[in-house]
């Protein structure tokens, strides 16, 4: 009896093994497990680079059992690939790298299953780049904004100078606003003494850069009172009109006195 039980268990185990083997052998191609690598790395990573450099990214399919078509994306946009650069291995070349490429993601995906993917983010190292309006003119009493546009990686420390000296910020008079791409100085109710050269200084671990802004303060224009002038013009106009009317009446009376006394007498 025991030998029969053992034989039955052995037979059942063999059947299960055969079934599992058949399932593995006849799995659909789309269910096979493929792994993507970029430049030999199996996980998303950050690639440090610099302005003007060129970087090559090679995506390859690991554990593939057949031909796998690959797709490349730059951000959300698809990269056009040549026909010979798609199957099981695909490369993209990022040339003339600029500061605008900083933070951009390049993603390689399986065409049949785009959830299988790997990404590389570019970390472009570059010194501060400054820009802005060189000359600004403002009238006394008005407000002005000096906007220093800045790009830098790593981020730079920012300061404002005036005529070669650190700007002394006055409360409720000067305001500083800083974002990842701008450094703004606002001056409320500008005075004549604010006239001068303002320097936007960016200091990073790579380099220190300076951008000058020339502020020209004009004297306050004298405001001309429009309403009194209009009222005076109306008074003068009405006075002239009344004078002309009065004079016309006097002229008409003189004309009547000099008329022929026999005018209108019947013959």
């Amino acid at each position: 009896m025991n030998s029969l039980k053992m034989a039955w268990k052995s037979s059942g185990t063999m059947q299960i093994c055969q079934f599992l083997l058949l399932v593995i052998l006849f799995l659909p191609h789309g269910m096979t497990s493929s792994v993507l690598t970029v430049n030999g790395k199996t996980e998303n990573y950050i690639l440090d680079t610099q302005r003007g450099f060129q970087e090559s990214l090679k995506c390859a399919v690991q554990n593939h059992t057949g031909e796998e078509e690959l797709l490349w994306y730059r951000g959300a946009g698809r990269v056009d690939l040549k026909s010979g650069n798609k199957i099981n291995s695909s490369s993209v070349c990022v040339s003339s790298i600029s500061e605008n490429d900083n933070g951009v993601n390049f993603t390689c995906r399986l065409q049949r299953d785009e959830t299988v993917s790997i990404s590389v983010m570019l970390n472009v190292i570059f010194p501060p780049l400054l820009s802005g309006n060189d000359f600004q003119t403002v009238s006394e009493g008005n407000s002005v904004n000096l906007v220093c546009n800045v790009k830098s990686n790593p981020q730079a420390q920012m300061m404002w100078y005036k005529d070669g000296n650190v700007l002394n910020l006055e409360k409720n008079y000067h305001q500083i606003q800083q974002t990842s791409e701008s450094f703004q100085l606002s001056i409320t109710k500008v005075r004549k003494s604010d006239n001068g050269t303002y320097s936007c200084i960016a200091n990073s671990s790579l380099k220190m850069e300076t951008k000058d802004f020339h502020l020209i303060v004009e004297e306050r224009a004298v405001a001309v009172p429009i309403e009194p002038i209009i009222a005076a013009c109306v008074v003068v106009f009405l006075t002239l009109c009344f004078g002309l009317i009065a004079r016309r009446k006097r002229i008409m009376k003189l004309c009547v006195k000099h008329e022929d006394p026999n005018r209108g007498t019947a013959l």
Side-chain angles (χ1 to χ4, degrees), residues 234-245:
V234 171
V235 171
V236 171
F237 175 76
L238 293 176
T239 303
L240 290 173
C241 289
F242 289 136
L244 290 172
I245 293 172

Side-chain angles (χ1 to χ4, degrees), residues 132-156:
N133 189 0
D134 294 346
F135 292 89
Q136 284 187 248
T137 302
V138 63
S139 297
E140 273 186 289
N142 291 337
S143 298
V144 66
N145 296 322
L146 303 179
V147 182
C148 180
N149 301 311
V150 56
K151 288 185 177 182
S152 180
N153 188 29
Q155 189 172 1

Side-chain angles (χ1 to χ4, degrees), residues 80-263:
D80 290 331
L81 300 173
K82 294 182 179 180
S83 57
N85 188 29
K86 295 181 179 181
I87 306 301
N88 294 337
S89 178
S90 179
S91 298
V92 293
C93 183
V94 189
S95 60
S96 300
I97 290 174
S98 72
E99 64 277 3
N100 296 323
D101 295 315
N102 186 47
V104 173
N105 278 294
F106 285 85
T107 304
C108 179
R109 303 179 187 273
L110 279 182
Q111 190 276 335
R112 65 173 174 83
D113 184 3
E114 294 197 28
T115 61
V116 180
S117 65
I118 183 171
S119 295
V120 180
M121 187 181 77
L122 299 184
N123 182 40
V124 183
I125 308 298
F126 58 96
L129 303 172
L130 306 179
S131 63
N133 189 0
D134 294 346
F135 292 89
Q136 284 187 248
T137 302
V138 63
S139 297
E140 273 186 289
N142 291 337
S143 298
V144 66
N145 296 322
L146 303 179
V147 182
C148 180
N149 301 311
V150 56
K151 288 185 177 182
S152 180
N153 188 29
Q155 189 172 1
Q157 293 183 342
M158 307 297 297
M159 291 190 68
W160 279 105
Y161 277 61
K162 181 179 185 292
D163 296 330
N165 300 309
V166 177
L167 178 63
N168 183 27
L169 299 176
E170 299 181 31
K171 188 177 180 181
N172 300 325
Y173 187 66
H174 297 106
Q175 291 184 347
I176 298 290
Q177 293 181 337
Q178 184 171 5
T179 68
S180 60
E181 293 191 349
S182 70
F183 188 56
Q184 176 176 299
L185 170 65
S186 299
I187 306 175
T188 57
K189 296 183 179 179
V190 172
R191 301 184 288 245
K192 192 68 178 176
S193 59
D194 293 318
N195 193 86
T197 299
Y198 293 77
S199 301
C200 172
I201 297 179
N203 190 10
S204 80
S205 58
L206 300 177
K207 191 178 181 182
M208 185 174 75
E209 288 289 349
T210 302
K211 169 69 179 175
D212 289 337
F213 295 81
H214 304 282
L215 182 63
I216 302 170
V217 180
E218 296 179 337
E219 292 184 1
R220 185 197 301 267
V222 178
V224 179
I226 301 299
E227 290 81 1
I229 292 177
I230 294 175
C233 291
V234 171
V235 171
V236 171
F237 175 76
L238 293 176
T239 303
L240 290 173
C241 289
F242 289 136
L244 290 172
I245 293 172
R247 188 173 181 180
R248 182 173 180 276
K249 287 182 178 179
R250 288 197 298 269
I251 293 172
M252 291 297 294
K253 287 179 179 178
L254 290 173
C255 290
V256 170
K257 288 180 179 180
H258 288 85
E259 281 184 352
D260 185 1
N262 297 321
R263 183 181 175 182

